[in-house]
Amino acid sequence: MKELKRVGPLSAGKISGIIGVVFGVIAGLILALFSSALGGSFLGGNWFIQLIGLTLIYAIGGFVGGVIYAALYNLVAGWVGGVQIELDDA
């Protein structure tokens, strides 16, 4: 067994931000589709603005959330120990 003692906050933020981009594009496409189909207006009503807006919101939120989560993990892991993982030398 190995123990994960520390996570780099910036590294975790980058990964979370990229995952946020993927989910933001999906959410933006769904919102743009339903918004235009129902005649509603969100973020200006333009489907491109909706797509870009939600992608940016998810990316920034993912990055900030990843940094905060990694920093909190490092803090708590210092008190109670890190997560134990089993690695294979394949």
Side-chain angles (χ1 to χ4, degrees):
M1 284 286 190
K2 302 274 184 177
E3 185 175 326
L4 180 60
K5 294 186 176 198
R6 184 177 186 287
V7 176
L10 188 58
S11 174
K14 289 177 191 177
I15 295 296
S16 297
I18 291 170
I19 292 170
V21 166
V22 172
F23 282 112
V25 168
I26 293 169
L29 287 173
I30 291 170
L31 179 68
L33 178 69
F34 284 116
S35 178
S36 63
L38 298 175
S41 175
F42 180 74
L43 293 176
N46 183 338
W47 68 269
F48 187 73
I49 300 296
Q50 293 173 356
L51 178 62
I52 298 301
L54 275 183
T55 301
L56 287 173
I57 290 169
Y58 274 67
I60 293 168
F63 178 80
V64 171
V67 169
I68 291 171
Y69 188 83
L72 288 173
Y73 176 86
N74 293 338
L75 180 68
V76 173
W79 298 335
V80 297
V83 173
Q84 292 185 353
I85 57 174
E86 186 174 334
L87 302 174
D88 187 15
D89 294 329

